[in-house]
Amino acid sequence: MSVFQINKENHLQLVYKNNVVIARDGNKLIVVHSKRSIKPLLPFEITQQVYEQWRKRDSRMDFTDTPYNELFTSSVIVQTELECVLDFNKIEFIEN
């Protein structure tokens, strides 16, 4: 099995097991999967403070080992300017 295939399977396992999956881009934290958030649209950047608040409310969060720029095609990354969430209350969630 190729390294690419192993990374892809590991990422998919993270998505199935967790409510939130975060990728890193340097020191940026980028939410690439969220089962409960509806706004802003994925992917979006969060600050460390937002991450810590979110983590207090949802323990099923994890980081993917795959760098953000390898998760999407380069055209998506170049064309998409990520929204940066500075306040946890700005994230809208679906009601359970």
Side-chain angles (χ1 to χ4, degrees):
M1 192 177 298
S2 72
V3 172
F4 174 77
Q5 188 65 26
I6 292 170
N7 285 344
K8 184 177 177 182
E9 288 185 17
N10 289 342
H11 181 74
L12 288 174
Q13 287 177 5
L14 279 174
V15 168
Y16 292 130
K17 290 185 341 188
N18 295 288
N19 292 330
V20 181
V21 177
I22 300 170
R24 295 181 195 266
D25 184 17
N27 60 354
K28 294 180 182 179
L29 304 177
I30 301 170
V31 178
V32 294
H33 168 76
S34 174
K35 290 181 180 173
R36 297 188 178 128
S37 68
I38 54 175
K39 283 188 181 176
L41 297 176
L42 294 171
F44 59 90
E45 184 181 346
I46 60 174
T47 62
Q48 185 67 34
Q49 180 183 12
V50 171
Y51 167 75
E52 290 167 7
Q53 286 179 298
W54 202 339
R55 184 76 180 175
K56 288 178 185 175
R57 298 169 192 227
D58 191 344
S59 62
R60 291 178 54 195
M61 297 177 76
D62 205 352
F63 287 89
T64 179
D65 291 332
T66 307
Y68 170 70
N69 60 359
E70 293 178 18
L71 290 173
F72 301 98
T73 64
S74 59
S75 61
V76 170
I77 293 172
V78 170
Q79 294 175 3
T80 307
E81 183 160 335
L82 298 176
E83 180 173 347
C84 184
V85 177
L86 304 173
D87 180 359
F88 180 79
N89 295 320
K90 298 292 182 184
I91 302 172
E92 292 183 34
F93 295 93
I94 58 173
E95 299 296 324
N96 287 338

